[in-house]
Structures are given as structure tokens and as C-alpha cells.
Amino acid sequence: MRALSSKNTLSKIVLRNQIDKIRLLFHRDRESYLCFYRILGFYPRNIQLYEQALLHKSSSVRSDKGRPLNNERLEFLGDAILDAIVGDIVYKRFEGKREGFLTNTRSKIVQRETLNKLAVEIGLDKLIKYSTRSSSHNSYMYGNAFEAFIGAIYLDQGYERCKQFMEQRIINRYIDLDKISRKEVNFKSKLIEWSQKSKLEVSFELIEQFLDQDSNPVFQTEVRIEGLPAGTGTGYSKKESQQNAAQMAIKKVKDPTFMATVNETKMQQSAMAAEPEPEMDADSDIELLNDNILEENEFDNEITAEPIVESIQSKSPCDVPESPDRDLH
């Protein structure tokens, strides 16, 4: 029954493509339609969505009403859809695997470096419109355009066609799921490297430790940027919890509102550190000197009194409270 349903769906897709192909012969934008067809494997219904997905915010393209057009809103939508689709694929591919494994595998696929490479592989990099002065050209632009492209497919064709594109045109061609699931990605190192370039302080704080249903220890870590909470993560080791927290923080720093708060906090802290300490007048200095002399005399009197012997026991390293992990590597 399921095979019959899939066959019918495939037949409808083929028929729809044939109809769209006939329409295309009489369309003035047929070159653009053919270009997107080579990437998508189907003809767009609303080509404007795909064209907007490739407009970087630095471009000078404007709407009929004079408003700047760019792909930021489509990128926001595509990010959410991509997470859902890749999560769906990974969940079904790795049956019986724990949540942490599934989360990490999905993250390796949707991380910025992977999306940048995928955008180049399918040729989006040659279609993006941007200003040559754009500083993000070598870092986020291609990956952002890929997310926006996914958002365009979703609005134009729906979730199922979007998932079909990811499975057939992306995963099957460019991504080895078994290989990528074994690949180690150090989110903590990535976050620290970013913080050093941005001149921002990042700290990892162990905030909770508890036992799960099987009495296994679970750790919860919080990442703080300039003292502000940026993400939390849990894991069956401190390292795993830090990695998950760092992964969440990497997404958080993409939020302009959060980063504005971080920069404002840093400026306030710098201003407070730059304030000179209040000077003491001469009378205060004399009073402080007299107080110190009095305390020294009292201390000497105590030394000459009958000594009190206390036994000093060495403490175990386990008794020393653990300091926040600030290991840069």
C-alpha cells in the first residue's frame, strides 16, 4: 500500500514537472527557471522567493515601495525548517541512539562550515547578490543563503518537497551520515576561538550535578559571555555538558539583540574599571595609620598570651571547590 502511494506521488511530481516545463517555454524568465531547476530538481512556482533568498543584506536591491530586500527573514525560517528536516532524517537513520548523539550529528550537518560548503557544491555562491564591501563574504554569507533557500522551498512547495530536496539532492550526494556522525566537533574550542577574536570573556560554570533514572551522574554546565548566560548543556560527563552548552551559545551569539546586550555590559564593566579610586585626605591617612598601630599592638599582646594549639589536617583535593573551567583548549 505504501509502495503504491509513493508511486502515485512520484507520478504526480513527474506530471507537474512536465506541465511546468511546457509553461516555461512561454515564460520571459525561463533562463532563471532553468537555473533553479538544475539545483532543485523541480521548477519553482514562485521564483521571486528563490531570488530573494539569494539577496544578501548588503545588496542594493529594493522593492517597488523602495524598501530594501534581503534574505534575512527567509534565513530565519529556513534555519528552523532545516533543523526539523535534518532532525527527522537523523532520527530515522540512527535508530536507538541517545538524544545527545542525535543532537550532535544534526549539529554537524547544519553548522555554518557545512552549509557554506553545500552552498558552493550546488552553485548558490555564484548566484548570491551582495556588495563587494560585505565583511561577511568569507564567513556566513553562503551558509545563510543556503538556509534562506530552504525557507524559499518550504514556502513555495511545502515541507515534504523540502525534505525530499534535502534527502535526494543534498544528503545522498554530499553527506555521508555514518562518517559525519563519527566526526568530532569541538564546539567549546570554536566558541573560545570566537571569543578571542571578538575580545569577549567566556566562562564555563558547572551549575548542577544529579542522577538520572538509572543512577548515572548527569552534569549541567552554563556558558557565560561577559558574565551573561548564553547557553546551558547537560551530559554524562563534564566535557559533554560543556560541548552542548557551547553549541547552544554559538547559536545564541547570532542573535543581534543578545550581542548588543553583551557589548553594552562589556562597556559598562570597562567604564567601572577605568574609574579612579577615591583619594584619602591627610587626616584619614593619620587615622588609618593609628588604627594599624593599635591592631599590631593588640596582635603582639595576643602572641605573648598562652598559646592555643590547633591540629591542622590536610584537606583532600576533593574538598576544594572546583573552579570554573577556563581551559582554552
Side-chain angles (χ1 to χ4, degrees):
M1 188 70 179
R2 182 178 296 178
L4 182 61
S5 176
S6 300
K7 188 175 181 180
N8 290 336
T9 302
L10 184 60
S11 299
K12 289 180 182 178
I13 293 173
V14 172
L15 179 60
R16 185 187 300 161
N17 276 340
Q18 291 297 328
I19 295 172
D20 290 339
K21 190 174 182 179
I22 294 171
R23 288 177 181 172
L24 185 62
L25 295 174
F26 306 97
H27 205 286
R28 60 185 177 86
D29 292 331
R30 55 180 175 270
E31 288 300 324
S32 296
Y33 275 90
L34 282 171
C35 178
F36 286 125
Y37 174 80
R38 295 187 191 102
I39 296 173
L40 297 165
F42 57 84
Y43 293 101
R45 296 175 187 167
N46 184 355
I47 197 170
Q48 284 78 22
L49 286 171
Y50 300 90
E51 291 172 342
Q52 185 173 344
L54 300 173
L55 294 177
H56 186 257
K57 63 182 178 181
S58 66
S59 68
S60 57
V61 179
R62 294 183 175 272
S63 67
D64 296 337
K65 297 181 179 179
R67 296 176 182 174
L69 285 175
N70 60 61
N71 61 7
E72 288 185 324
R73 283 172 55 83
L74 283 173
E75 178 196 339
F76 163 79
L77 178 62
D79 179 48
I81 299 299
L82 193 60
D83 269 356
I85 289 175
V86 175
D88 190 350
I89 294 171
V90 169
Y91 178 84
K92 293 174 181 175
R93 175 65 179 82
F94 298 102
E95 187 176 351
K97 291 290 186 179
R98 279 182 169 179
E99 178 190 359
F101 172 89
L102 300 176
T103 300
N104 288 336
T105 303
R106 179 183 63 185
S107 299
K108 294 168 191 174
I109 298 173
V110 301
Q111 67 176 327
R112 194 59 46 191
E113 290 82 356
T114 304
L115 298 185
N116 283 342
K117 292 177 182 177
L118 291 173
V120 174
E121 290 284 357
I122 65 177
L124 291 185
D125 58 314
K126 298 179 180 65
L127 302 176
I128 299 172
K129 294 183 180 179
Y130 63 93
S131 167
T132 54
R133 297 188 299 272
S134 174
S135 60
S136 63
H137 174 60
N138 293 321
S139 55
Y140 296 127
M141 186 168 61
Y142 295 163
N144 290 348
F146 186 89
E147 287 180 334
F149 204 68
I150 295 298
I153 298 172
Y154 173 74
L155 291 179
D156 185 47
Q157 301 279 335
Y159 178 86
E160 287 302 324
R161 178 61 71 89
C162 202
K163 183 183 175 186
Q164 182 186 43
F165 169 78
M166 279 301 299
E167 284 182 316
Q168 297 181 4
R169 312 287 291 193
I170 302 298
I171 302 290
N172 292 348
R173 294 187 179 187
Y174 304 112
I175 295 177
D176 185 333
L177 288 177
D178 291 322
K179 184 177 179 180
I180 204 170
S181 68
R182 295 191 296 268
K183 180 183 176 182
E184 287 292 332
V185 178
N186 195 329
F187 295 106
K188 181 180 177 182
S189 294
K190 283 181 175 293
L191 181 63
I192 291 173
E193 181 182 353
W194 168 85
S195 70
Q196 291 172 342
K197 289 181 180 178
S198 305
K199 294 181 171 53
L200 295 171
E201 182 182 352
V202 169
S203 63
F204 291 79
E205 311 283 346
L206 181 64
I207 58 176
E208 190 178 1
Q209 181 176 343
F210 55 92
L211 300 177
D212 66 5
Q213 295 179 347
D214 300 323
S215 298
N216 297 313
V218 180
F219 302 88
Q220 186 172 31
T221 295
E222 181 178 68
V223 175
R224 296 172 187 170
I225 301 176
E226 291 296 330
L228 298 175
T232 58
T234 57
Y236 288 95
S237 67
K238 292 179 183 179
K239 180 180 179 181
E240 184 183 0
S241 70
Q242 289 172 352
Q243 288 292 331
N244 292 334
Q247 180 186 346
M248 183 181 292
I250 287 173
K251 280 201 167 187
K252 185 77 171 178
V253 299
K254 291 175 62 179
D255 181 358
T257 304
F258 174 74
M259 288 308 301
T261 305
V262 168
N263 291 324
E264 183 180 351
T265 301
K266 182 182 179 181
M267 290 177 62
Q268 291 174 352
Q269 292 173 349
S270 299
M272 291 176 61
E275 289 182 0
E277 295 184 1
E279 297 182 359
M280 298 180 66
D281 55 27
D283 293 337
S284 299
D285 288 342
I286 294 172
E287 290 179 6
L288 181 60
L289 179 61
N290 290 336
D291 290 341
N292 289 339
I293 293 172
L294 181 60
E295 289 177 1
E296 288 178 2
N297 291 336
E298 291 176 352
F299 180 72
D300 290 339
N301 293 334
E302 289 178 2
I303 292 297
T304 56
E306 184 177 352
I308 301 175
V309 180
E310 295 182 355
S311 62
I312 303 176
Q313 298 180 350
S314 62
K315 292 186 176 181
S316 165
C318 297
D319 297 332
V320 180
E322 183 173 340
S323 60
D325 184 355
R326 297 177 185 270
D327 181 13
L328 297 183
H329 304 285

